[in-house]
């Protein structure tokens, strides 16, 4: 049983060899390393080429390059080269937790064929590789109360983004929810209900996770990118659940969670009708005000207005980029640099006034607008072809 290790990398030449050493030091030998260079400007290519020369089995390392498009796009790029039965994402500044990790993980998955993937605690290390703590992951429970609790927790992931995956689940489920739309990988949105994938919390750590000043969340752009996934998760869950007195329940959950007392969320299995106040509350846990960012302001105003009107979108220009969740960094950079295409500026102005239907004039525009409204967190809008 082969493990496909996916490593997206960007300017991590100083650490990627150490990452590789943690792979070749494994007692389990059936693995392939798929490295996707996401437009690095350092000497990452030269280091990987040297590693390939050192590796006797030339089929063990697959190296590809792409223009800088961020880590989720790099991981999706790697999917085409997977030949293993299991998948593990290992970033180029992180390390495997111990030499027996792969062997133990394969044994567990073999003994538990119903398991889609393994979660576990993370060993936190600093820039020098020294252990600084343990990042604990909650015990995984496939309870029907967990998705509404995810909504109550501001759309923030209740579990982890690090898991040892079974390939079929990774390619057919995790790809859509996590890689394409930047939402928690364990969620499985169906037409009538929200399911949970069959992950399990392991009693062993799954990663040595490096925390340093350059980590994704430790800058303003990173915070905007993280908030995008959190808000999309929450708004998607609002299509299935309603949580009365949201703010009060949120603070109760936080207090009880700190003293490790489980909180059973009170919710209704119906869509949330009035979403604006909750959206503002979620956004302003990351930003000082929802009004400081025109993207989040337009989402808030859209749900506040709840307008019953139609807008016509006729011939989306070919040069308009269609953003998915995986493209959030590019979108936010364009927004902050004032280079966002005017189509999106006009679209956000329409959102500020509210609408409940979009009419398009071509099948091509229909397909594009379905992706766009998902990215803009308004996927409950009806889209129709002009008759």
């Amino acid at each position: 049983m082969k493990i496909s290790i996916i490593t997206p990398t960007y300017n991590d030449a100083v650490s990627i060899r150490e990452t590789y050493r943690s792979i070749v030091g494994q007692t389990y030998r059936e693995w392939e390393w798929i490295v996707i260079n996401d437009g690095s400007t350092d000497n990452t290519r030269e280091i990987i080429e040297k590693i390939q020369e050192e590796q006797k089995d030339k089929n063990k390392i697959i190296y590809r390059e792409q223009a800088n498009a961020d880590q989720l796009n790099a991981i999706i790029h790697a999917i085409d080269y997977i030949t293993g039965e299991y998948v593990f994402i290992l970033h180029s500044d992180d390390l495997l937790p111990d030499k027996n990790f792969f062997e133990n993980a394969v044994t567990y998955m073999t003994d538990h064929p119903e398991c889609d993937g393994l979660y576990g605690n993370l060993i936190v290390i600093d820039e020098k590789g020294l252990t600084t703590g343990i990042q604990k992951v909650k015990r995984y429970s496939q309870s029907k109360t967990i998705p509404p609790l995810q909504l109550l927790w501001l759309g923030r992931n209740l579990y982890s983004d690090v898991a040892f995956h079974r390939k079929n689940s990774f390619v057919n489920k995790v790809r859509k929810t996590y890689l394409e739309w930047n939402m928690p990988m364990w969620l499985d949105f169906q037409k009538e209900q929200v399911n949970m994938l069959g992950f399990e919390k392991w009693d062993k750590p799954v990663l040595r996770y490096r925390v340093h000043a350059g980590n994704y969340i430790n800058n303003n752009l990173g915070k905007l990118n993280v908030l995008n996934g959190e808000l999309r998760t929450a708004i998607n869950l609002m299509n299935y659940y309603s949580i009365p007195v949201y703010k009060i329940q949120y603070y109760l959950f936080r207090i009880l969670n700190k003293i490790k007392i489980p909180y059973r969320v009170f919710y209704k299995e119906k869509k949330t009708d009035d979403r604006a106040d909750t959206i503002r509350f979620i956004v302003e846990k990351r930003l000082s005000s929802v009004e400081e960012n025109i993207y989040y302001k337009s989402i808030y105003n859209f749900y506040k207005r709840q307008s019953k009107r139609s807008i016509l979108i006729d011939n989306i220009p070919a040069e308009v980029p269609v953003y998915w969740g995986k493209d959030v960094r590019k979108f936010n950079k364009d927004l902050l640099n004032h280079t966002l295409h005017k189509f999106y500026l006009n679209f956000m102005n329409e959102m500020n006034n509210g609408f409940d239907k979009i009419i398009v004039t071509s099948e091509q525009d229909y397909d594009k607008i379905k992706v766009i409204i998902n990215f803009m967190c308004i996927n409950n809008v009806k889209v129709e072809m002009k008759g």
Side-chain angles (χ1 to χ4, degrees), residues 26-86:
Q26 292 290 301
T27 56
Y28 193 83
R29 305 297 185 188
E30 291 298 313
W31 52 262
E32 62 184 1
W33 191 32
I34 306 169
V35 181
I36 305 297
N37 188 336
D38 186 36
S40 296
T41 56
D42 61 6
N43 63 329
T44 294
R45 177 194 294 174
E46 289 77 12
I47 289 175
I48 297 299
E49 287 175 349
K50 289 180 181 178
I51 290 173
Q52 286 177 311
E53 291 174 3
E54 297 165 6
Q55 177 57 246
K56 294 179 181 179
D57 186 349
K58 303 304 179 185
N59 294 323
K60 273 194 172 294
I61 302 176
I62 300 100
Y63 175 73
R64 297 292 183 271
E65 296 181 344
Q66 66 177 35
N68 183 239
D70 212 13
Q71 61 183 11
L72 294 181
N73 281 296
I75 296 168
I76 291 171
H77 184 174
I79 288 176
D80 290 339
Y81 305 100
I82 291 174
T83 63
E85 289 78 24
Y86 301 108

Side-chain angles (χ1 to χ4, degrees), residues 217-236:
I217 192 63
N218 293 333
N219 59 72
N220 289 332
L221 180 60
K223 289 177 182 178
L224 289 176
N225 297 345
V226 169
L227 176 57
N228 181 274
E230 292 170 350
L231 187 61
R232 181 174 299 105
T233 300
I235 290 176
N236 272 274

Side-chain angles (χ1 to χ4, degrees), residues 357-380:
K357 183 189 294 184
I358 298 175
I359 300 171
V360 296
T361 58
S362 70
E363 291 184 6
Q364 184 179 28
D365 282 356
Y366 181 91
D367 292 338
K368 288 181 178 180
I369 208 67
K370 292 292 284 186
V371 177
I372 289 169
I373 62 174
N374 206 354
F375 183 82
M376 304 303 289
C377 298
I378 57 170
N379 61 4
N380 55 342

